[in-house]
Amino acid sequence: MLDYVIRSGTVIDGTGGPARQADVGIRDGRIVEIGDITEAATTELDAQGLMVAPGVVDPHTHYDAQLFWDPAASPSNLHGVTTVIGGNCGFTLAPLNAEDADYIRQMMAKVEGMPLTALEQGVPWNWSTFGEYLGALEGKLGVNAGFLVGHCALRRKVMGAARGEEVANDEEIAAMRALLAESLSAGGLGFSSSQSRTHSDGDGRPISGRCWRSARRWPPTKARRSSTSPTGAWTPSHPKRWI
């Protein structure tokens, strides 16, 4: 017996093939059959007149904070989105020095329009590493979620407030490379940054990710860029060479 059968829906399977009327059978959390299903199921859903399709993956979101008070990621979930990718444009909530939490809150409120009160009261801010941030969300979400590691958080963690607008020295570059590698090993999907002139922190100063001034400090050609805009994300082939 199947766990679920979705019957008589218009199936659009994401392969580019034509839509067709079919049943969808599910067992142990996986689709096991698509077609004219005669097998019974514990739960049967009538989808006649409705479309049945894979969940949408949204690769550019800023749900990094909202997921703590809204684990369903609304309103994206209302539009068929089942997977969200956060940490875009160089903005993440980790890694984090405890004394920098307010700076990160103010920055996110400025660049992404997040309500400051919600950031202050709806997010625990009790992590230091990227892995600890992911752990704070683990098992509490109603959507699939993955996160890039943000340039701004890496620079702030290593360089602090005093050197936030300076060019990183060799020791700081090495520390950021190591921190990025650690964050990727803990579950980060890649690296994100922004060179957009409209991205400023809560004090109206350029975000720290805009303050690199040397090509050798940028991800190398072996890292694949996924965007041609002033903001982008990279998936590293050799994380230790980054920044």
Side-chain angles (χ1 to χ4, degrees):
M1 175 175 284
L2 296 169
D3 296 325
Y4 299 91
V5 172
I6 304 171
R7 296 201 181 276
S8 304
T10 300
V11 173
I12 302 172
D13 63 13
T15 64
R20 67 191 191 278
Q21 189 175 63
D23 305 326
V24 178
I26 301 168
R27 181 186 292 117
D28 297 331
R30 294 183 176 275
I31 295 173
V32 295
E33 187 176 356
I34 300 175
D36 185 9
I37 298 176
T38 58
E39 186 176 356
T42 303
T43 301
E44 301 201 7
L45 305 170
D46 182 7
Q48 188 167 8
L50 303 175
M51 289 186 293
V52 181
V56 176
V57 178
D58 188 341
H60 191 129
T61 80
H62 291 281
Y63 281 120
D64 307 61
Q66 182 178 324
L67 288 172
F68 284 100
W69 66 80
D70 175 20
S74 61
S76 291
N77 60 337
L78 303 179
H79 300 286
V81 175
T82 57
T83 299
V84 298
I85 306 300
N88 284 281
C89 304
F91 305 128
T92 48
L93 308 189
L96 178 72
N97 293 318
E99 63 271 21
D100 292 326
D102 188 59
Y103 173 82
I104 297 296
R105 288 192 290 265
Q106 297 283 346
M107 180 178 68
M108 299 301 276
K110 175 68 179 294
V111 297
E112 297 301 336
M114 298 179 182
L116 185 58
T117 300
L119 290 169
E120 291 172 339
Q121 299 180 9
V123 180
W125 301 100
N126 58 353
W127 52 78
S128 173
T129 68
F130 199 82
E132 289 169 346
Y133 165 75
L134 296 178
L137 291 168
E138 181 68 27
K140 301 175 183 177
L141 302 182
V143 293
N144 303 308
F147 301 89
L148 300 165
V149 184
H151 197 180
C152 292
L154 290 171
R155 282 181 58 96
R156 187 76 177 193
K157 177 75 171 178
V158 171
M159 300 177 68
R163 289 183 46 75
E165 296 184 29
E166 302 297 323
V167 175
N169 59 39
D170 289 342
E171 290 183 357
E172 289 166 335
I173 293 170
M176 284 188 278
R177 285 174 171 167
L179 187 55
L180 175 59
E182 173 191 310
S183 299
L184 295 173
S185 295
L189 297 182
F191 170 87
S192 71
S193 190
S194 171
Q195 296 302 298
S196 174
R197 294 182 180 180
T198 64
H199 283 165
S200 301
D201 64 18
D203 298 321
R205 303 294 302 169
I207 58 171
S208 59
R210 290 172 54 192
C211 297
W212 68 277
R213 297 188 184 93
S214 172
R216 74 184 181 88
R217 292 180 171 87
W218 201 242
T221 55
K222 287 190 177 181
R224 184 179 72 252
R225 186 171 183 176
S226 63
S227 172
T228 56
S229 69
T231 63
W234 289 259
T235 303
S237 56
H238 297 287
K240 293 184 178 179
R241 297 180 184 175
W242 284 43
I243 301 192

